[in-house]
Amino acid sequence: MGKAYKYGQNVDTDVIIPARHLVTSDPAELAKHCMEDIDRDFASSVRPGDVIVAGANFGCGSSREHAPIAIKGAGVACVIAPSFARIFYRNSFNTGLPILESAEAAERIEAGDEVEVDFAAGAIRNVTKGETYHAEPFPPFITRLIESGGLAEYVKAGLGA
Amino acid sequence: MTQKILAAHAGVAEVKAGQFIEAAIDIALANDITGPPAIKEFRRMGAPAVFDRDKVALVPDHFTPNKDVKSAEQCKELREFARAQGISHYFEIGEMGIEHALLPEKGLVTAGDAVIGADSHTCTYGALGAFATGVGSTDLAAGMATGRAWFKVPPAIKFRLTGALSKWVSGKDVILAIIGMIGVDGALYKSMEFSGPGLAGLSMDDRFAMANMAIEAGAKNGIFAVDERTMAYIKEHPCESPSLRKEATVYEADADAEYEREIEVRLADVRPTVSFPHLPENTRSIGEVGDVRIDQAVIGSCTNGRIEDMRAAAAVLKGRKVAPGVRCIVFPATQRVYLDCVREGLAEIFIEAGAVISTPTCGPCLGGHMGILAAGERAVSTTNRNFVGRMGHVDSEVYLASPAVAAASAVAGRLAGPEDLGL
């Protein structure tokens, strides 16, 4: 269970991790600057298990994988939004950052709400409000990728390495 | 068109929107920022060597010439990997250009190719009738290891171009106007397909600028129908190494191809267009911009750093001066564009106008180096993103525009079009 951080629509990768910090791909280093251009307190206040809830088209902009790495490095358990920009969507699975698409959850959850996520059931529970929302199930191909432990492991198995 | 290219690369007769496929790729691209994490993942995958040393392109273009020690280390890692793997298409400073201007110029992408690049503006090559899309570093690592990538087949939106552009209006204005119309997620997960009778009047540099910004509408790719201009460009830009030259394959959309939506774009109606902070969709035509004073004008990038862009900027700056207090930074996208600027006398025009000319680099566009903004400063820029803090301080502002508008604004000291200078 964790606390929700709430942001608007079109949160772009430049605010998730500004390019001036792209001189490293170290998760801990990137996490220190995560979201700093729209929320200066995020990096210092976020706790492991917290969730980010945002509007549509989360992660738009650059292809930098540093964006989901920074969010994951900050300890965020899940990002919930009605939709994700497509490169960010791929990168999240590939780097092991859980994301869920739910317009209902994104609308109802408010900043500071305590949120619990059950990935197997695709259920998002808002403990503060006593509500439960449903997330869009992953397509079977994505589920296979997740089950193999991400793209690197999937490729590794394919290469017989 | 996209579906046909994907089907051919997946080795099947046809694919449908929404289907997950694995497809062969013709080029896998990375730069000095996305390359190092890709190399790390590549090693983790246990691949002994890249799938084909002639089909991987590594371009250190973002924080180069090295802006600091950490950037130098990232470039070194890319260089050493390229050397160890015997990568044919690694471009050192001196030969290096901004990747999305460089690859077409070097003949590394042709019509019908499927390309992935660990850079969101990889979609630029759609101007050549190729399927090209941006991915992250792990996807790129998988591409380097296996020569394949997974895709969810996108549905398409057809943009039917009609009529012709007015003077001082370019492909950049058209794509900004389209993004203003459909929004930054207007083509999310989709393919933007450009065709129609108006296509013939668009230069290749117009098309590169338009395909380049498909990502700014959320698209998976932007793709242009192939015509005589495309084939002429491909013919004029062969790969230097004859053994690596490849045949173009032209895919045409079927007459009954399914589109999720069809939008007519009347080119004559497009005016010089500016995107206001902090989203590319916040567009206004030049007549509606009001009095916006600027501190910096940036002319270049993977969107607008090609020779026609330089010519448009020079046509405005010729015999004029950059306004006092305004910094005008011109950065040709490749060494060849730079050399053409010198040979055509454009470099002299820029310098006499009081602009500076930078080596090819992505630096200013993403707030890396070579033109960072301080708090409260405003830039008009021919780049592709105007997000919060994109070019520097979180309290700075970026206004996206064409090279002609950026140059005119540099002279006026405020947002202005060439017509405001009496041109």
Side-chain angles (χ1 to χ4, degrees):
Chain A
M1 191 161 69
K3 192 162 72 96
Y5 284 80
K6 184 112 191 228
Y7 303 104
Q9 291 190 0
N10 304 312
V11 171
D12 61 78
T13 52
D14 277 279
V15 299
I16 295 172
I17 184 70
R20 58 183 174 273
H21 303 303
L22 300 183
V23 288
T24 174
S25 51
D26 176 53
E29 205 45 47
L30 293 170
K32 285 186 205 163
H33 305 289
C34 188
M35 309 301 267
E36 70 181 15
D37 282 359
I38 51 166
D39 182 354
R40 275 167 209 186
D41 301 326
F42 177 82
S44 56
S45 66
V46 67
R47 295 285 167 264
D50 285 350
V51 300
I52 289 177
V53 180
N57 200 27
F58 185 91
C60 63
S62 140
S63 70
R64 64 189 70 155
E65 212 160 89
H66 310 68
I69 292 173
I71 294 175
K72 195 182 171 203
V76 169
C78 183
V79 182
I80 301 164
S83 63
F84 291 86
R86 55 160 294 276
I87 305 179
F88 185 89
Y89 184 89
R90 296 178 74 109
N91 288 349
S92 297
F93 293 113
N94 291 342
T95 54
L97 171 70
I99 58 171
L100 289 174
E101 286 183 335
S102 170
E104 191 192 8
E107 191 193 323
R108 294 288 303 160
I109 297 172
E110 291 178 65
D113 283 358
E114 290 290 333
V115 175
E116 215 170 48
V117 178
D118 179 345
F119 290 102
I124 302 161
R125 206 157 71 85
N126 185 334
V127 179
T128 308
K129 287 206 169 96
E131 297 173 343
T132 300
Y133 322 108
H134 290 281
E136 295 294 322
F138 297 125
F141 180 83
I142 299 282
T143 308
R144 272 211 306 283
L145 268 189
I146 297 170
E147 282 169 359
S148 7
L151 185 65
E153 295 302 323
Y154 179 82
V155 169
K156 202 169 172 178
L159 289 171
Chain B
M1 278 180 79
T2 294
Q3 295 187 5
K4 282 188 177 178
I5 297 175
L6 287 175
H9 285 79
V12 295
E14 63 169 12
V15 296
K16 294 268 177 225
Q19 190 180 340
F20 281 82
I21 57 159
E22 283 194 65
I25 49 177
D26 298 298
I27 288 278
L29 161 76
N31 57 52
D32 52 310
I33 292 182
T34 59
I39 293 164
K40 193 163 89 185
E41 289 301 312
F42 177 83
R43 292 195 176 120
R44 201 156 72 87
M45 288 169 187
V50 297
F51 79 104
D52 185 336
R53 65 188 198 93
D54 298 330
K55 292 186 176 177
V56 174
L58 300 176
V59 187
D61 59 355
H62 273 59
F63 290 165
T64 52
N66 302 341
K67 82 180 177 87
D68 53 23
V69 174
K70 284 182 173 175
S71 314
E73 294 294 341
Q74 293 194 138
C75 289
K76 186 176 163 196
E77 193 178 346
L78 196 69
R79 182 180 304 120
E80 287 177 350
F81 178 78
R83 218 174 267 161
Q85 294 282 333
I87 303 292
S88 312
H89 308 303
Y90 169 78
F91 300 95
E92 195 50 86
I93 303 293
E95 204 186 1
M96 177 278 288
I98 298 175
E99 51 198 343
H100 308 310
L102 188 69
L103 264 56
E105 190 186 282
K106 294 279 183 191
L108 303 189
V109 182
T110 192
D113 275 0
V115 180
I116 59 167
D119 188 279
S120 59
H121 293 108
T122 300
C123 52
T124 309
Y125 317 129
L128 296 169
F131 168 77
T133 192
V135 297
S137 295
T138 303
D139 273 316
L140 198 272
M144 289 199 297
T146 65
R148 304 181 73 77
W150 67 268
F151 300 109
K152 183 178 170 183
V153 177
I157 301 178
K158 178 176 179 174
F159 293 87
R160 188 170 179 273
L161 311 172
T162 59
L165 294 176
S166 313
K167 196 179 179 197
W168 299 119
V169 180
S170 68
K172 178 65 167 288
D173 301 294
V174 179
I175 193 65
L176 290 181
I178 287 174
I179 295 166
M181 180 166 50
I182 67 172
V184 291
D185 61 353
L188 191 61
Y189 302 124
K190 296 173 188 143
S191 173
M192 294 170 81
E193 193 173 303
F194 302 96
S195 59
L199 185 63
L202 294 183
S203 71
M204 287 311 293
D205 289 359
D206 283 326
R207 300 179 198 188
F208 282 122
M210 288 173 66
N212 174 273
M213 288 191 73
I215 179 71
E216 263 57 69
K220 184 181 201 99
N221 70 319
I223 191 163
F224 277 76
V226 174
D227 64 6
E228 286 170 11
R229 275 197 198 217
T230 326
M231 296 314 288
Y233 180 94
I234 290 170
K235 203 174 156 195
E236 286 160 15
H237 297 83
C239 187
E240 276 170 27
S241 167
S243 64
L244 299 183
R245 285 181 195 161
K246 40 191 182 182
E247 285 296 308
T249 311
V250 179
Y251 292 92
E252 285 173 12
D254 292 330
D256 61 347
E258 274 180 37
Y259 293 100
E260 201 180 83
R261 199 174 160 193
E262 283 198 35
I263 297 173
E264 183 179 350
V265 180
R266 293 187 196 91
L267 298 176
D269 291 349
V270 178
R271 298 286 303 135
T273 302
V274 179
S275 288
F276 275 52
H278 289 285
L279 279 178
E281 70 184 24
N282 296 336
T283 53
R284 294 190 201 175
S285 73
I286 195 70
E288 307 163 338
V289 297
D291 187 17
V292 180
R293 302 194 74 75
I294 57 152
D295 303 287
Q296 183 167 296
V298 173
I299 301 169
S301 82
C302 62
T303 315
N304 281 134
R306 298 179 183 81
I307 191 62
E308 276 190 14
D309 302 314
M310 299 293 122
R311 287 178 192 145
V316 172
L317 290 172
K318 188 169 186 179
R320 294 183 175 78
K321 287 279 181 197
V322 171
V326 173
R327 292 108 52 184
C328 182
I329 302 166
V330 180
F331 59 120
T334 66
Q335 288 289 87
R336 179 156 166 182
V337 175
Y338 199 124
L339 188 58
D340 285 344
C341 282
V342 172
R343 286 182 175 152
E344 293 183 17
L346 312 183
E348 198 175 327
I349 293 171
F350 295 141
I351 293 167
E352 285 190 339
V356 294
I357 310 172
S358 153
T359 58
T361 178
C362 305
C365 170
L366 77 165
H369 64 153
M370 298 298 287
I372 307 288
L373 300 175
E377 289 191 331
R378 289 197 192 108
V380 60
S381 178
T382 69
T383 53
N384 41 56
R385 292 192 176 127
N386 55 355
F387 299 150
V388 171
R390 172 74 179 180
M391 288 183 83
H393 196 277
V394 59
D395 295 325
S396 61
E397 292 183 344
V398 179
Y399 295 76
L400 303 176
S402 71
V405 167
S409 304
V411 171
R414 58 181 169 78
L415 287 184
E419 287 165 357
D420 297 317
L421 304 180
L423 284 162

